[in-house]
Amino acid sequence: MGSLGSYLRELRTAKGMSLEEVSRATRVGRTHLEALEAEELSALPAPVFVKGFIRAYCEFLQANPAEALGRYQALIGERPSGTAPSAPEPLTAGLGRGPVFVSVILLVVLAAALFLLNSGLRSEGPRAPRPQAGSPAALPPATPASEPAPVQPPPAAPAAPAAPSAKVEPTGPPPSSAPPAALPVAIAPPAAITAAPPAPSAPAPARGPQRLVVKAIEPTWVRVQMDGDRSVEELLPAGASREWSAEKRFTLTVGNAAGVTLELNGRTLPPLGAPGAVIRELALP
């Protein structure tokens, strides 16, 4: 596999394009394009931004960016994204034999025994202590046989005071016998107090596998395009945070490179540039 710079330069010269024309069409600075063709890695930003430059370069020249991205990853010593790490061996493959399998079986048996013992103790409940044979609690209380218990005469009931005849009103039922009239009205039937079931909430919209979080450090204008068909433009105040999702990629334009921080798929990206610098149509990832 040849070098990245010669490959990009051959693509451009084959189309008869100059660096100025490529820079104007892709909105990538000429200094960055020159650093790419010269393979000056120290003059380039973080790899995530350089990959966006390479994609824009190749797509403008109607070439597949996979070849150029593979050369760049080989240049920086990064493993190609297409090679997935080998899947770990499932745990069940090693349980067929050896001391690990025996240990697992013993743990299962011990857990089952503890569960059954705990269930038996709960079902029996607390037991009352048995009285010992020699303790005084085991002997019935002795009743005196020498003399009978004296019989107490019942106390005389106190004489009820005579109610004055002037205050007795023979008409009308007694207050205690009158049923309360407001009680049946105050108690509502059970069906009336039953709360209506809550309405089911609407399902959340589906989210794409790519997630971009933009946090504003200073008031900054941003434009985010998702998968090339949806775009959002907004002036973010200082301290504001926005999140977008996409199926494949984002195209980001920032009016103040030092005014925002980026987080792609849970990973914080390096700073975009100096204060006041404009970043145009940066492809992520």
Side-chain angles (χ1 to χ4, degrees):
M1 179 181 293
S3 64
L4 172 66
S6 59
Y7 176 75
L8 295 178
R9 192 180 305 107
E10 290 174 1
L11 289 179
R12 179 175 57 81
T13 55
K15 295 292 183 178
M17 296 290 180
S18 65
L19 282 176
E20 188 65 31
E21 292 174 335
V22 177
S23 176
R24 190 183 310 111
T26 60
R27 293 184 174 85
V28 178
R30 178 175 179 142
T31 56
H32 289 160
L33 296 179
E34 292 175 349
L36 275 176
E37 293 189 356
E39 296 184 2
E40 296 179 356
L41 300 182
S42 60
L44 293 172
V48 65
F49 302 122
V50 178
K51 291 178 183 178
F53 297 161
I54 295 175
R55 285 195 185 95
Y57 190 107
C58 294
E59 289 175 358
F60 171 68
L61 298 177
Q62 298 179 355
N64 188 358
E67 176 69 20
L69 289 175
R71 293 171 184 260
Y72 174 68
Q73 290 173 340
L75 181 63
I76 64 176
E78 179 181 335
R79 184 175 58 186
S81 58
T83 60
S86 59
E89 182 180 359
L91 180 61
T92 56
L95 295 181
R97 60 186 181 276
V100 176
F101 178 74
V102 177
S103 301
V104 172
I105 294 299
L106 291 177
L107 287 176
V108 172
V109 173
L110 179 60
L114 291 176
F115 176 77
L116 293 177
L117 180 61
N118 191 20
S119 301
L121 292 177
R122 290 183 178 179
S123 61
E124 291 179 2
R127 296 182 178 180
R130 295 181 179 180
Q132 299 180 359
S135 62
L139 301 177
T143 57
S146 59
E147 56 181 6
V151 178
Q152 298 289 339
S165 58
K167 295 184 179 180
V168 175
E169 296 179 1
T171 60
S176 60
S177 63
L183 184 60
V185 181
I187 300 177
I193 61 176
T194 303
S201 59
R207 296 170 60 91
Q210 304 293 340
R211 186 175 65 89
L212 176 65
V213 178
V214 179
K215 299 180 181 179
I217 304 174
E218 302 173 359
T220 306
W221 177 85
V222 297
R223 179 175 63 192
V224 181
Q225 189 175 15
M226 288 74 75
D227 298 323
D229 55 353
R230 297 180 294 122
S231 62
V232 177
E233 296 184 11
E234 187 175 359
L235 178 60
L236 299 180
S241 176
R242 298 292 185 271
E243 178 179 348
W244 295 278
S245 61
E247 290 294 332
K248 295 181 179 179
R249 72 177 60 175
F250 303 91
T251 303
L252 179 65
T253 301
V254 180
N256 181 8
V260 295
T261 60
L262 303 181
E263 181 179 328
L264 181 63
N265 298 329
R267 183 166 56 93
T268 302
L269 301 182
L272 293 178
V278 179
I279 303 299
R280 300 178 183 274
E281 296 188 3
L282 173 63
L284 296 174

